[in-house]
Amino acid sequence: PGRPAPAAPRTGTTAPQFSDRQQVTAGTGVPGPRPEPARRRRPEARISQRVIPRDLRPLSLRDELVELGGLFRAYQRRAEPDLAMLADLQERKARAFLAWSDASCDVTLRLEAQRAEQAAAVIRRQHLHRTGEVAEGEEPGVARLLNVPQWEYARSVLTHVAGHTPLPGAEARLLVLMLTLRTAHTGTGNLVGQDVTGLGLTDPEDLIGKLTGCGWLDIPGTVGDLLASRPENPTPVTVPSLVPGTDGSGPFTFGRKTRPKLSGWAQRVVSDKKLRKAKAPAGIRLLALTLATSTDDTGRLGPGGQGIPLNTLATRVPADAGELRYLIDRLTATDWLAEAALTDTHLTGQLTERVLPLTCPYNEWL
């Protein structure tokens, strides 16, 4: 008595809710478990197309590799090269990869460290020559097979062949290129069987038959005679489209003495001992020739080392994206190419030190 009566419960009310977004488990009045938020993984850090492990120790080594990867990518975006900076980066990379090899017991990292050290030495030497800090009479950093004017001539032949090969495919392109270099000055030249059979062609007899059949090539006898010919008895061949006109002009501007030098250069590239040992097919040899004429003076691909646009590369090497990746991998395996990276728009990378004498750098950075 004297106590107020308890208030009547309100109608239409519901059980208490902890959140208007939570679902209550039936019959318990307890909210169900919250969904686990999706975890966003940080992007993998990379350098030279290698993933840097998140658990790599010491941490200072991992930080150095991550920073170097960013610095190399920033260098590739530069408008102009800085060889002193690039040499410093390569030296840092050599030290970092050597430490990484010791930490992970990965011998391939040690090999890459050695390549970086060699690249640093070449780049440093090029920088000293460019700035005039190397004394007169000293040997140049890279003794190239062709000289500066001949580099442009080599590119002009590759450009001409890209637009004047009468048959499709890399094999036809490579054979037409080599025949063009043999006959470029007068439209005529001498050929022996080894010149053709050494190119890694699937069926050289059939291919030569097609070139003669469409009128691009003239030979005095049969295809079998040409393939059997030896240096003491070469076969004279003619490419009618290269015979000078009545005014004496042809498609090329270089002279009689330059032609054999260009032909010898191309022969050195396609018959490289590691390409021969790997029995490289025509596409790989054609890519090797193309890359040799597509570097800066340190061997980085593209003008200023900025890479080669894929649409430009496609005009020189007839291959789709999948085939091109295969060719790049094979060329890397033969110690021609290092640090290769293929994006949707460009191929970047570095030709190895052993093939730098065969390169024809772009002149704008010299």
Side-chain angles (χ1 to χ4, degrees):
R3 293 181 180 176
R10 296 181 181 179
T11 60
T13 61
T14 59
Q17 296 289 319
F18 292 91
S19 169
D20 59 353
R21 295 186 181 181
Q22 290 180 313
Q23 303 241 346
V24 177
T25 304
T28 65
V30 178
R34 295 187 180 187
E36 292 187 8
R39 295 181 179 178
R40 292 184 178 178
R41 293 181 63 87
R42 291 177 298 173
E44 294 177 327
R46 292 176 176 267
I47 179 172
S48 299
Q49 302 306 301
R50 289 179 179 266
V51 175
I52 305 170
R54 289 189 172 88
D55 59 353
L56 181 63
R57 295 295 182 272
L59 190 58
S60 58
L61 171 59
R62 187 179 191 282
D63 291 343
E64 171 70 353
L65 289 167
V66 172
E67 181 180 349
L68 275 173
L71 290 174
F72 272 108
R73 287 186 287 275
Y75 183 85
Q76 290 178 348
R77 294 192 294 270
R78 290 178 59 88
E80 295 185 6
D82 184 332
L83 298 187
M85 176 189 294
L86 183 57
D88 289 341
L89 289 177
Q90 291 286 3
E91 288 172 353
R92 283 179 62 182
K93 177 184 173 183
R95 293 192 296 268
F97 269 64
L98 190 60
W100 191 2
S101 175
D102 292 340
S104 61
C105 299
D106 185 345
V107 69
T108 64
L109 293 168
R110 184 174 293 272
L111 295 175
E112 193 152 351
Q114 293 172 356
R115 287 194 290 267
E117 186 176 8
Q118 293 168 352
V122 171
I123 295 167
R124 184 79 65 192
R125 188 76 172 175
Q126 292 290 334
H127 172 66
L128 294 176
H129 275 273
R130 177 178 291 185
T131 57
E133 297 178 40
V134 176
E136 284 294 325
E138 288 192 19
E139 289 297 320
V142 178
R144 290 186 166 87
L145 192 63
L146 298 179
N147 60 33
V148 176
Q150 292 165 353
W151 298 345
E152 289 303 323
Y153 293 145
R155 273 188 282 274
S156 72
V157 175
L158 265 66
T159 300
H160 174 85
V161 169
H164 295 82
T165 300
L167 302 173
E171 293 197 348
R173 180 77 59 87
L174 180 63
L175 181 56
V176 166
L177 173 61
M178 301 306 290
L179 291 174
T180 296
L181 286 168
R182 283 298 180 94
T183 60
H185 190 250
T186 62
T188 61
N190 290 324
L191 210 63
V192 300
Q194 180 59 32
D195 294 331
V196 179
T197 58
L199 296 178
L201 305 174
T202 304
D203 190 344
E205 185 170 2
D206 178 69
L207 187 54
I208 293 177
K210 289 178 179 177
L211 289 176
T212 57
C214 70
W216 187 86
L217 177 68
D218 286 341
I219 58 176
T222 67
V223 177
D225 292 338
L226 187 156
L227 294 178
S229 61
R230 299 178 60 82
E232 59 270 19
N233 187 28
T235 299
V237 299
T238 302
V239 177
S241 60
L242 298 180
V243 175
T246 55
D247 60 355
S249 65
F252 305 114
T253 59
F254 51 83
R256 175 173 57 86
K257 295 182 179 180
T258 297
R259 188 213 59 77
K261 293 180 180 179
L262 296 178
S263 181
W265 161 79
Q267 193 64 41
R268 282 278 299 275
V269 173
V270 300
S271 62
D272 171 75
K273 60 181 180 180
K274 292 197 175 185
L275 294 180
R276 293 199 318 271
K277 186 176 180 180
K279 297 182 179 180
I284 295 174
R285 300 178 197 232
L286 185 61
L287 180 60
L289 277 165
T290 300
L291 298 188
T293 60
S294 309
T295 74
D296 67 6
D297 58 331
T298 67
R300 304 292 300 184
L301 296 183
Q306 301 298 307
I308 308 172
L310 293 189
N311 55 1
T312 300
L313 193 58
T315 65
R316 303 292 178 87
V317 184
D320 60 30
E323 291 172 328
L324 183 59
R325 188 173 296 277
Y326 168 76
L327 297 178
I328 291 168
D329 290 343
R330 288 285 303 273
L331 205 56
T332 300
T334 57
D335 194 30
W336 259 82
L337 184 61
E339 303 176 28
L342 186 63
T343 70
D344 291 338
T345 59
H346 283 75
L347 169 65
T348 59
Q350 164 83 53
L351 293 192
T352 60
E353 183 181 14
R354 78 176 189 87
V355 300
L356 286 182
L358 300 174
T359 57
C360 302
Y362 290 108
N363 294 338
E364 53 260 45
W365 300 117
L366 297 176

